[in-house]
Amino acid sequence: MYKTSAAPAKTVHLNCGDCPIRHRAVCARCEDDELRRLEEIKYYRSFEAGQTVVWSGDRMDFVASVVSGIATLTQTMEDGRRQMVGLLLPSDFVGRPGRETAAYDVTATSDLVMCCFRKKPFEDVMLTTPHVGQRLLEMTLDELDAAREWMLLLGRKTAREKIASLIAIIARRDASLNNQREAGAVVVDLPLTREAMSEYLGLTLETVSRQISALRRDGIIEIEGKRHITIPDFDRLVEEAGDDADGGFLV
Amino acid sequence: MYKTSAAPAKTVHLNCGDCPIRHRAVCARCEDDELRRLEEIKYYRSFEAGQTVVWSGDRMDFVASVVSGIATLTQTMEDGRRQMVGLLLPSDFVGRPGRETAAYDVTATSDLVMCCFRKKPFEDVMLTTPHVGQRLLEMTLDELDAAREWMLLLGRKTAREKIASLIAIIARRDASLNNQREAGAVVVDLPLTREAMSEYLGLTLETVSRQISALRRDGIIEIEGKRHITIPDFDRLVEEAGDDADGGFLV
DNA sequence: CGCAGAATTGATACATCTCAAGCTGGGTGG
DNA sequence: CCACCCAGCTTGAGATGTATCAATTCTGCG
């Protein structure tokens, strides 16, 4: 990937066998023959931080997996109010088989590489072999659960609880991606600006900033620079998030 | 508990061919042989308005379709704050294949009839034939879209917009279930108490009440009794909801 | 008839938003 | 190499929308 310049630079063509998301993405369950069919129709696209992948309402003739980097799904109201409705990390899936146009703005929040499949051939694979559809169902059910957790956050949590929840969510997803197990202090780099956090949480960015400062004052988190966060006691953070304390470390 | 009228009496065992949700539920795409397999493992359960179907965390060894009536999925925080995360109308699906315990409280909001399948045999059908899984994926993707719309409502809409949105959503789902096309004034019966509405919208029930009164004062809606609503101008309601005005009548 | 659950309405409190000013760090061009 | 600039962020003061607490008022039903 030659970066500096713009986006859709053709990236290295990875062999699926070497793919970092091979065992988590929509292709996770594929047999060799299915994988070969996907390999034939896949292509990579790269985006720089800040670039828009597609606009809501635009024609979208591919579906894709996030290979590396972070993307967001956002809805916008006519007067400009914005709500993030999806936060996509590596292995997450973008797009909906059977749909012509994008339903949300998709934005690269960091430098981003996606493994894309033209929609029509991908749909053919889904119809003729079982494992892609099965895995996609599983992933969609997981996303639905996450969305419902998110709805609780948006509808009922206080600003402080929202911030604590977001930090905990990111820490957990991070750990799960890297198969880390927690051990004492947890360290995270926020992949979002304060504004993106406010769009995730249904707050203003001023409130986000204030509540982060408050959590720092109270010793729940420590901050270095703007984005680098240390969580000395993860359970304490989870308490602040107002979540049931079970605290399974994976989402 | 056989009640004067409707509910928990062991219901008639419907023939799938005569089932009112045959063409919309998870079985919609089934071939004759698949339908026969489902028919063998299905059983009906009825609940009275107000009854709990399962509690979050309880073992749940079935999945089900709502045949008639209305159910809700709700999450509860330790201190009692509650957020509805699903509103289930006839043909909607409850439960998650592959999951042992219920993730949410499921409550019958009206008298309710569900068509249940024991989980294990249902999963077998999903593995050995394609159409149930395909339909379930489609339905889950629809629910995810609905959840994301809901997130916008919870995160960014004002109380007035939330109320207007909810009325519009119910009117649309209602129309879609009955294949009605709008014509002039739209009439709906709210299937929810003010409290349930407040749990849907992330508001208090007092605010719900006040905003309904305000919409009535402003002529956006007319009310007869507590629940019966007439919408003289549906587009006007949609404007109040803050939604993009496209107004496709189906969700 | 009278009760109980559901809904409305009022007065006040408070969390978050809004508007505004200032800070910080990293990049850039003179 | 420094001054400048700008996006991202922080902090403050005041406005406002919704929650909270507290009475009433409806309404259907035994």
Side-chain angles (χ1 to χ4, degrees):
Chain A
M1 142 161 88
Y2 359 161
K3 59 156 293 234
T4 55
S5 66
K10 207 68 182 175
T11 320
V12 192
H13 190 90
L14 274 176
N15 186 316
C16 286
D18 304 330
C19 180
I21 58 169
R22 167 72 180 91
H23 55 301
R24 299 185 62 109
V26 72
C27 51
R29 300 245 204 101
C30 286
E31 313 280 0
D32 286 347
D33 57 326
E34 295 171 299
L35 207 57
R36 238 173 286 122
R37 289 188 60 188
L38 287 178
E39 190 128 32
E40 277 165 24
I41 62 170
K42 86 180 186 190
Y43 57 99
Y44 291 96
R45 292 181 68 186
S46 300
F47 299 87
E48 285 181 77
Q51 280 192 309
T52 295
V53 176
V54 279
W55 295 102
S56 170
D58 282 1
R59 199 184 157 67
M60 181 165 172
D61 48 11
F62 65 96
V63 296
S65 294
V66 174
V67 177
S68 66
I70 292 181
T72 62
L73 305 184
T74 309
Q75 273 193 301
T76 308
M77 294 174 68
E78 292 174 13
D79 61 4
R81 280 175 282 175
R82 289 167 62 80
Q83 176 64 50
M84 196 189 299
V85 296
L87 179 61
L88 305 175
L89 303 196
S91 81
D92 284 337
F93 188 78
V94 192
R96 174 167 176 169
R99 170 173 284 165
E100 286 295 308
T101 58
Y104 314 101
D105 295 338
V106 182
T107 309
T109 278
S110 67
D111 289 346
L112 178 71
V113 179
M114 298 202 309
C115 174
C116 304
F117 308 97
R118 279 179 301 123
K119 192 150 56 70
K120 188 61 177 62
F122 184 84
E123 288 164 6
D124 290 342
V125 173
M126 283 188 58
L127 282 176
T128 52
T129 70
H131 294 112
V132 171
Q134 285 172 8
R135 176 67 184 140
L136 187 54
L137 174 57
E138 196 171 58
M139 293 174 72
T140 305
L141 287 165
D142 285 341
E143 271 196 90
L144 187 56
D145 281 335
R148 285 170 168 165
E149 201 67 44
W150 201 337
M151 285 168 54
L152 175 65
L153 177 151
L154 290 171
R156 292 303 184 194
K157 289 189 176 179
T158 65
R160 164 181 268 246
E161 288 169 337
K162 286 178 175 181
I163 297 287
S165 298
L166 177 57
I167 296 172
I169 286 168
I170 291 173
R172 281 202 267 251
R173 291 187 63 169
D174 220 75
S176 132
L177 273 177
N178 305 315
N179 286 325
Q180 289 165 357
R181 197 98 194 101
E182 99 231 70
V186 180
V187 174
V188 208
D189 279 292
L190 292 179
L192 302 174
T193 63
R194 299 291 186 264
E195 184 176 31
M197 293 174 72
S198 77
E199 288 177 3
Y200 187 112
L201 299 171
L203 298 170
T204 59
L205 89 173
E206 293 95 328
T207 299
V208 169
S209 186
R210 275 187 250 272
Q211 295 298 335
I212 288 179
S213 299
L215 288 178
R216 189 190 44 197
R217 265 198 306 279
D218 298 345
I220 313 291
I221 58 176
E222 290 154 19
I223 307 185
E224 205 176 325
K226 304 294 188 190
R227 304 283 196 87
H228 190 80
I229 293 191
T230 303
I231 307 158
D233 180 349
F234 197 82
D235 291 342
R236 187 133 171 258
L237 181 70
V238 171
E239 268 176 48
E240 291 291 345
D243 289 336
D244 268 332
D246 72 3
F249 203 70
L250 294 196
V251 172
Chain B
M1 90 174 112
Y2 358 136
K3 204 214 111 184
T4 47
S5 57
K10 209 56 177 182
T11 321
V12 193
H13 189 87
L14 273 175
N15 186 315
C16 286
D18 303 329
C19 180
I21 58 169
R22 167 72 179 89
H23 55 302
R24 302 186 62 110
V26 72
C27 52
R29 300 243 206 103
C30 286
E31 312 281 358
D32 286 347
D33 56 327
E34 294 171 298
L35 206 57
R36 237 175 286 123
R37 290 188 59 188
L38 287 178
E39 190 128 34
E40 276 165 26
I41 62 171
K42 85 179 187 192
Y43 57 99
Y44 291 94
R45 291 181 69 186
S46 300
F47 299 86
E48 285 181 78
Q51 280 190 309
T52 295
V53 177
V54 280
W55 294 101
S56 171
D58 281 2
R59 202 184 153 65
M60 180 165 172
D61 48 11
F62 65 96
V63 296
S65 294
V66 174
V67 176
S68 64
I70 293 183
T72 62
L73 306 184
T74 308
Q75 275 193 299
T76 307
M77 294 174 68
E78 293 173 13
D79 61 4
R81 280 175 283 174
R82 289 167 61 81
Q83 175 64 50
M84 195 190 299
V85 297
L87 178 62
L88 305 175
L89 303 195
S91 83
D92 284 336
F93 188 79
V94 192
R96 175 168 174 166
R99 169 174 285 164
E100 286 295 307
T101 59
Y104 314 100
D105 295 338
V106 182
T107 310
T109 278
S110 68
D111 289 346
L112 177 71
V113 179
M114 297 203 308
C115 173
C116 304
F117 308 97
R118 279 178 302 122
K119 193 149 57 68
K120 187 65 178 62
F122 185 84
E123 289 164 5
D124 290 343
V125 173
M126 281 187 60
L127 281 176
T128 53
T129 70
H131 293 113
V132 172
Q134 285 171 7
R135 176 67 184 141
L136 187 54
L137 173 57
E138 196 170 57
M139 293 173 73
T140 306
L141 287 165
D142 285 341
E143 271 196 272
L144 187 56
D145 281 335
R148 286 171 167 164
E149 201 67 44
W150 201 338
M151 286 168 56
L152 175 65
L153 177 151
L154 290 171
R156 292 303 184 194
K157 289 190 177 179
T158 65
R160 165 182 268 244
E161 288 168 339
K162 285 178 174 181
I163 297 288
S165 298
L166 176 56
I167 296 172
I169 286 168
I170 291 173
R172 282 202 266 250
R173 290 187 64 170
D174 220 76
S176 132
L177 273 177
N178 305 315
N179 285 325
Q180 289 165 357
R181 198 94 195 103
E182 98 231 70
V186 180
V187 174
V188 206
D189 279 293
L190 292 179
L192 302 174
T193 64
R194 299 289 186 262
E195 183 176 32
M197 292 174 72
S198 77
E199 288 177 2
Y200 186 112
L201 299 171
L203 298 169
T204 59
L205 91 179
E206 294 95 329
T207 298
V208 169
S209 186
R210 274 187 249 274
Q211 295 298 336
I212 288 178
S213 300
L215 288 177
R216 189 190 43 197
R217 265 198 307 280
D218 299 345
I220 312 291
I221 58 175
E222 289 154 20
I223 306 184
E224 206 176 322
K226 303 290 189 194
R227 305 285 194 86
H228 190 80
I229 292 191
T230 303
I231 307 158
D233 180 349
F234 197 81
D235 290 342
R236 187 133 170 256
L237 181 71
V238 172
E239 268 175 49
E240 292 290 344
D243 288 337
D244 267 333
D246 74 3
F249 202 69
L250 295 195
V251 172

